Amino acid sequence: MTPAATLLDWLLIVFTLAAAGYALVAAFAPRPRTPRTAMRDGFEPVSVLKPLCGAEPHLYENLATFCAQRHPRYEVLLGVASSADPAIAVVERLRADHPECDITLVIDARVHGKNLKVSNLINLAERAKYGRIVIADSDIAVQPDYLERVTAPLADPSVGVVTCLYHARSVGGFWTRIGAQFVDAWFAPSVRITHLGRSSRFGFGATLALTRDTLDRIGGLVALKDELADDFWLAELPRRLGRRTVLSEVEVATDVIEPSFGPLWHRETRWLRTIRSLNPAGFAFLFITFTVPWLAIGAALALRLDGTFAGTLAGGAAALGAFGRLVLHARGEDGWRAFWRDLPLVAVRDTLLALEWLAAVFGTHVVWRGARMTVVGGERATAAAVEAVDGR
């Protein structure tokens, strides 16, 4: 005789339905579309700020995309904190290969706060010549029309910051492919759903474009010197002044380079703990977005409650969720060969996300750029303490 569904069974069915609904919406959420702006609006002079730290894989290739822009007038400022940084050799090669590009290397060891990336940016911003500023992480690659497209919305005085989503390129083997799915099959779809819901409480280090006027009004980059989530706050502070964040239709590329489980775990739990510090309520419900574990629970309930309405509901939710997750996987992959190659990784990816979320619930520290940082919750989610981590 088939057992009757318990209260716990019904609760699990509700969660499975929610996970299936999320997977379907994530699979079909449209990419952002910013309003068409007159092309001339994207041709104002631009200063590009690129903080560097070490000669990471593909650094030359990624920086070179910023030196091949069709924009008529821009400069690229590349900053390091030490004259011994191996990134300097990459910059010198870049300058030799692109003499037509206005490239400035800034070597400045001054530290302005607990966030060393922001310290680097403060030193770069002091030397920026132009009224439009684009900040982009070192591992970002862009298309030749990038600068004109991401800066065009800044012609509207109601816009504070323009930011971009990104897709991942795995540099290496198994674990980098797992890490790429974190971006393409979880992070980016979550942002699209947020954007679809008319929210713009985000800002991504892949691109943050703003005017010098906006930057001055928030107190300059020094206002972010102790923030762990500096990219989020660079967009949030203008929002508090009534200036909008625009999610550009431009998507850039980022490299996933973590070669093994440990570095990948540290990176992804750092992201999740940062989300927890900024949005505790939203973080609490992230467990719904880890689809595969809920599909397994739904399938198990369907088998145990076979022949009942509850069993049919659980089985239907699992089937719909599986369809949505497959579409989401296909959307994040580059062609059918990659789709079939990485399909077995989907269950690993979602299960690892669930475990990382659990770790982020209880953790209070992150490791970033060789420093162990204590995350303080609350209004500003400040990195309260920084200490070196041996060997990192």
Side-chain angles (χ1 to χ4, degrees):
M1 182 177 178
T2 302
T6 66
L7 181 60
L8 177 60
D9 291 335
W10 280 110
L11 182 62
L12 293 175
I13 290 171
V14 168
F15 286 150
T16 303
L17 283 167
Y22 167 83
L24 288 169
V25 175
F28 296 102
R31 298 183 185 278
R33 289 289 182 267
T34 53
R36 286 291 179 185
T37 309
M39 289 300 293
R40 62 181 175 80
D41 290 339
F43 292 153
E44 292 294 320
V46 182
S47 294
V48 179
L49 312 186
K50 302 280 287 186
L52 308 181
C53 182
E56 58 200 26
H58 294 182
L59 179 61
Y60 174 85
E61 292 80 3
N62 291 333
L63 293 179
T65 65
F66 284 83
C67 300
Q69 293 295 298
R70 297 200 301 241
H71 198 282
R73 191 177 181 188
Y74 70 99
E75 63 172 344
V76 181
L77 295 99
L78 305 165
V80 296
S82 167
S83 59
D85 195 309
I88 293 175
V90 177
V91 175
E92 295 299 346
R93 178 187 167 196
L94 196 73
R95 295 171 78 174
D97 291 348
H98 295 273
E100 77 288 352
C101 188
D102 184 0
I103 303 172
T104 301
L105 171 64
V106 177
I107 304 172
D108 195 328
R110 287 179 297 162
V111 176
H112 302 275
K114 299 181 179 70
N115 188 318
L116 300 183
K117 171 190 165 185
V118 173
S119 287
N120 197 342
L121 285 170
I122 291 170
N123 297 334
L124 287 173
E126 291 178 356
R127 296 164 172 83
K129 295 186 293 190
Y130 300 129
R132 289 184 177 182
I133 295 171
V134 171
I135 298 172
D137 289 341
S138 58
D139 60 352
I140 298 301
V142 298
Q143 296 298 314
D145 61 352
Y146 162 81
L147 277 182
E148 62 196 62
R149 292 175 69 191
V150 300
T151 61
L154 296 177
D156 183 343
S158 71
V159 173
V161 167
V162 181
T163 193
C164 290
L165 268 176
Y166 43 95
H167 62 88
R169 303 180 302 189
S170 62
V171 181
F174 176 82
W175 290 108
T176 63
R177 286 157 55 198
I178 290 287
Q181 288 196 13
F182 179 95
V183 174
D184 293 337
W186 182 73
F187 175 75
S190 298
V191 175
R192 292 190 193 106
I193 290 175
T194 299
H195 187 255
L196 193 63
R198 304 292 184 181
S199 174
S200 61
R201 291 201 71 227
F202 42 66
F204 311 121
T207 292
L208 292 159
L210 70 167
T211 63
R212 187 177 295 276
D213 176 70
T214 295
L215 188 59
D216 290 342
R217 285 177 181 271
I218 66 170
L221 290 168
V222 70
L224 313 174
K225 64 184 178 65
D226 294 323
E227 304 299 339
L228 175 61
D230 53 272
D231 45 6
F232 171 85
W233 285 107
L234 186 53
E236 176 66 13
L237 294 181
R239 285 193 291 267
R240 295 186 176 187
L241 297 176
R243 299 193 176 187
R244 297 183 293 117
T245 297
V246 171
L247 182 61
S248 175
E249 77 277 6
V250 175
E251 282 197 6
V252 300
T254 187
D255 293 330
V256 178
I257 63 174
E258 286 75 16
S260 59
F261 171 76
L264 185 68
W265 176 273
H266 283 303
R267 180 187 185 187
E268 294 181 354
T269 52
R270 170 170 62 85
W271 283 13
L272 289 167
R273 285 180 183 142
T274 302
I275 292 171
R276 189 192 83 183
S277 68
L278 294 170
N279 184 6
F283 173 85
F285 287 96
L286 282 182
F287 67 90
I288 292 298
T289 67
F290 313 140
T291 310
V292 170
W294 289 112
L295 302 185
I297 291 172
L301 287 170
L303 289 173
R304 189 168 67 82
L305 301 173
D306 186 39
T308 67
F309 173 72
T312 301
L313 194 60
L320 285 173
F323 170 72
R325 188 63 180 88
L326 285 172
V327 173
L328 184 57
H329 173 63
R331 188 174 181 179
E333 294 291 342
D334 185 18
W336 286 107
R337 179 175 295 183
F339 172 87
W340 291 111
R341 181 198 66 192
D342 292 340
L343 183 59
L345 305 184
V346 170
V348 179
R349 174 67 276 173
D350 285 8
T351 303
L352 181 59
L353 266 170
L355 295 174
E356 290 168 342
W357 178 80
L358 285 173
V361 168
F362 300 104
T364 58
H365 297 82
V366 299
V367 176
W368 181 72
R369 292 286 191 184
R372 185 170 184 263
M373 308 176 77
T374 301
V375 180
V376 176
E379 178 69 6
R380 289 301 296 271
T382 302
V386 180
E387 53 187 292
V389 176
D390 292 339
R392 292 190 61 82

